[in-house]
Amino acid sequence: YGGEVDKLIGDAIMVTFNARGDQPDHAERAARAAVALRREAAAVARDHPDWPRFRIGVNSGEARFGVAGAWGKREYTAVGDAVNLASRLEGEARPGQVVIGGETYRRLPDGTRVEPLGGVRVKGKEAPVDAYILLGLPAGQGEGGERLEPEDEESERDGGRR
């Protein structure tokens, strides 16, 4: 999908898209990568029901890339409000869900299926932010559409349409 693994943070994986400004479809790439990760994680979970479940947050926006950190622990990474909000959206997801921010949703193709979460209050933001559970994406070039099946009854919901 063209993303770059930025870092592993405990049980989290941070992946960035469009770091060089060469992916105008970065939001769709990130959403499709999230769907693929969720699908593969669900397959593993069927064979290992006692393993932890993934939660996925996707957000789009400006970020700064550069070397950050203290002496001896410096690394090249992305920082900024969009990065922080992606982490907060991941925290809003239930196991097996993909939660996307409003800007990501606005950049996805027609036919994208979501369930609005409404204004979600997250740490670091005074006003609530728009968030959506990603339920499915329309077919891209050379592929079939992707509908997210619930991993279990707990995460099943009826979805909105774009």
Side-chain angles (χ1 to χ4, degrees), residues 30-105:
R32 290 192 187 283
V35 168
L37 175 61
R38 184 199 179 281
R39 182 177 52 246
E40 295 304 317
V44 169
R46 282 190 290 278
D47 294 334
H48 303 279
D50 55 328
W51 286 12
R53 300 293 185 262
F54 280 95
R55 303 167 191 255
I56 302 171
V58 178
N59 192 44
S60 300
E62 295 285 326
R64 296 269 188 219
F65 290 84
V67 178
W71 185 258
K73 180 73 169 103
R74 296 171 62 85
E75 59 188 0
Y76 182 81
T77 190
V79 296
D81 185 60
V83 177
N84 294 337
L85 183 53
S87 175
R88 304 294 184 241
L89 293 172
E90 182 265 336
E92 290 295 319
R94 294 200 326 236
Q97 285 183 332
V98 177
V99 174
I100 62 174
E103 184 60 27
T104 300
Y105 178 56

Side-chain angles (χ1 to χ4, degrees), residues 80-82 84-85 88 92 120-129:
D81 185 60
N84 294 337
L85 183 53
R88 304 294 184 241
E92 290 295 319
V120 175
R121 293 207 170 272
V122 297
K123 180 179 174 185
K125 296 282 193 181
E126 286 188 28
V129 298

Side-chain angles (χ1 to χ4, degrees), residues 95-119:
Q97 285 183 332
V98 177
V99 174
I100 62 174
E103 184 60 27
T104 300
Y105 178 56
R106 285 185 283 281
R107 293 172 178 258
L108 294 178
D110 289 342
T112 296
R113 293 178 7 96
V114 299
E115 177 187 332
L117 290 175

Side-chain angles (χ1 to χ4, degrees), residues 14-33:
M14 181 170 145
V15 179
T16 60
F17 291 81
N18 202 36
R20 291 177 296 283
D22 60 348
Q23 296 175 327
D25 59 343
H26 57 84
E28 183 175 355
R29 288 171 179 260
R32 290 192 187 283

